Amino acid sequence: MTGSPAPADPALAFPFIGGRPCLDFAATLGKRHATPLERLPDTAALARWFTEAELATDAAAVRVTPRDLTDARLLREALYGLVRAAMAGREPDPADMERVNAVAAQPDLAPQLGPVRWTARSPARAALATVARDAVLLVRGPLLERVKECENPDCSLLFLDDSQARRRRWCSMDRCGNLAKIAGYRSRSRAAVTR
């Protein structure tokens, strides 16, 4: 699919490593435990996310309004709060639950056979409804116990641990896992030198 070009700043690239659309959507706000990194600064970025997430209805970029962007950010934070509460075994914030439920109740993307993957009367709203429904299904389903947060203290990405032993610690070995290995190596090297 084509769409708007990738961002000039690599930090604004979307990480699709969560294993579920709702977790990938939550990752559009990065570094939640440090200085948050907004990967949806404008409507073009949200349209690009829909395309890269394969939630666009055709090869053209989804038309996104400023209201769609505001609603998307509100949904993102509500579903992040909902998933985090479920992971911790806590009751979700009622406002988060109400927002996710309201968006999930809207018409979502309808799958299609052939060259066009999805159809919808309002593609941006339908894509958000699809993401919200994915969050509801994840929180209510058996896969919730496999959702983890990356152990890198500078990372806040949530991911579905699909490893056989269920011991995955990092959002991705290419991202945080590699950084942890390098830091461990350097620490061991410094310790060996000081002996």
Side-chain angles (χ1 to χ4, degrees), residues 51-130:
T51 298
E52 291 181 22
E54 298 183 356
L55 294 176
T57 54
D58 57 31
V62 175
R63 185 177 163 277
V64 175
T65 67
R67 180 176 173 205
D68 293 334
L69 178 62
T70 298
D71 291 347
R73 288 177 178 163
L74 292 170
L75 173 64
R76 174 188 65 198
E77 296 313 300
L79 70 82
Y80 179 81
L82 185 73
V83 171
R84 291 295 302 181
M87 288 169 63
R90 297 187 323 262
E91 286 295 315
D93 180 314
D96 289 346
M97 192 165 53
E98 184 178 332
R99 180 167 305 278
V100 171
N101 281 338
V103 177
Q106 299 300 312
D108 65 346
L109 295 170
Q112 300 291 295
L113 295 173
V116 175
R117 185 172 182 175
W118 305 103
T119 189
R121 184 169 289 152
S122 175
R125 296 257 168 220
L128 292 175
T130 299

